[in-house]
Amino acid sequence: MKSVVIIEDQTAVREMVSEFISMLPGYEIVGSFGTGEEGLQGCIKLRPETVILDVGLPELSGTEVLRGLTLHVPGVKVLVFSGRASSANIRELLSAGAQGYVDKMDGFDEFKKALDIISGGGTFIGPKMASVMRSLILNPDAGSSEIPLSDREKQILQLVAESHSTKEIASRLSISVRTVDNHRTNIMRKLNLHDVAALTRYAIKNDLISLS
């Protein structure tokens, strides 16, 4: 049996994915977690063979979790399963060591195909990832300019641009309101932007949020 951990902040999605994988022959769910920090620590303890990882997680982002897994659980296979990843996110996740990406809109047939390939040691290139990779091959400089923000700052910028209040952001990320304010101040300073409207435009332009 191949051991699997799910790291997904939406309870309904986490339970649905867990139930689906439990019905597949050859797989065993050994843990499921709702935050990035819990998921990383759980994987360090459980040492699963495969991790199903969402991108937009509380406490630690998907990229931060992936980097921690690469460092502390060598050999683990990671399938990113998300509906919110931008092209920039996908590039970052691939660079951090993900073996594949499946968009939540692709459905469970595509998910099963990806899980089987990655668990067997392969790499899965779904339609969205293939599009990103083609873009990078045709225009390799397109993804080379780094957004000058940390993973946490990108996460907070995304939530600000999605109209979450400071208190809501603090609650979602399990940090203090003061910490959120400090991050927002640093974000505005780094980007030389001075209001929420400007931050929102920046987030859309850099694929940190979607208009859909």
Side-chain angles (χ1 to χ4, degrees), residues 19 105 109 115 121 123 156 163 169 171 173 191 200 206 211:
E19 184 176 352
M105 297 298 290
D109 286 344
L115 179 62
T123 299
I156 288 175
S163 301
I169 295 171
S171 176
L173 301 181
L191 301 180
T200 301
N206 288 277
L211 290 173

Side-chain angles (χ1 to χ4, degrees), residues 32-53:
S32 66
F33 304 93
T35 73
E37 180 64 30
E38 289 176 350
L40 176 58
Q41 295 305 318
C43 288
I44 292 172
K45 179 180 179 180
L46 296 168
R47 301 279 167 173
E49 296 173 70
T50 303
V51 174
I52 310 301
L53 179 66

Side-chain angles (χ1 to χ4, degrees), residues 143-154:
S144 61
S145 58
E146 289 291 326
I147 298 174
L149 301 176
S150 68
D151 287 333
R152 175 64 84 190
E153 287 168 343
K154 291 177 189 175

Side-chain angles (χ1 to χ4, degrees), residues 166-185:
T166 299
K167 187 175 180 180
E168 288 171 340
I169 295 171
S171 176
R172 181 179 177 85
L173 301 181
S174 300
I175 58 179
S176 70
V177 168
R178 183 175 180 179
T179 298
V180 174
D181 283 334
N182 288 339
H183 278 304
R184 180 146 61 175
T185 299

Side-chain angles (χ1 to χ4, degrees), residues 1-171:
M1 298 286 280
K2 296 174 181 175
S3 57
V4 179
V5 161
I6 301 167
I7 309 175
E8 161 66 57
D9 66 326
Q10 297 181 52
T11 303
V13 175
R14 188 169 66 247
E15 291 178 353
M16 185 167 53
V17 172
S18 179
E19 184 176 352
F20 178 79
I21 294 175
S22 296
M23 293 188 296
L24 299 176
Y27 294 99
E28 179 186 13
I29 301 294
V30 296
S32 66
F33 304 93
T35 73
E37 180 64 30
E38 289 176 350
L40 176 58
Q41 295 305 318
C43 288
I44 292 172
K45 179 180 179 180
L46 296 168
R47 301 279 167 173
E49 296 173 70
T50 303
V51 174
I52 310 301
L53 179 66
D54 191 14
V55 174
L57 296 166
E59 298 180 7
L60 292 177
S61 70
T63 305
E64 289 171 315
V65 172
L66 183 51
R67 287 173 179 155
L69 290 173
T70 302
L71 181 63
H72 297 291
V73 193
V76 67
K77 303 169 183 69
V78 179
L79 173 60
V80 177
F81 185 52
S82 178
R84 294 189 289 176
S86 65
S87 298
N89 289 144
I90 296 173
R91 284 194 296 266
E92 194 172 36
L93 290 159
L94 289 173
S95 298
Q99 280 75 35
Y101 173 90
V102 176
D103 193 278
K104 287 178 179 175
M105 297 298 290
D106 291 339
F108 276 115
D109 286 344
E110 196 81 357
F111 176 85
K112 181 183 182 303
K113 186 191 305 182
L115 179 62
D116 288 341
I117 290 172
I118 287 175
S119 296
T123 299
F124 182 81
I125 303 176
K128 193 163 187 175
M129 186 192 291
S131 175
V132 172
M133 292 183 72
R134 279 196 299 271
S135 175
L136 289 175
I137 291 170
L138 293 172
N139 187 14
D141 292 332
S144 61
S145 58
E146 289 291 326
I147 298 174
L149 301 176
S150 68
D151 287 333
R152 175 64 84 190
E153 287 168 343
K154 291 177 189 175
Q155 198 173 21
I156 288 175
L157 173 57
Q158 177 185 341
L159 293 170
V160 169
E162 290 174 347
S163 301
H164 293 281
S165 69
T166 299
K167 187 175 180 180
E168 288 171 340
I169 295 171
S171 176

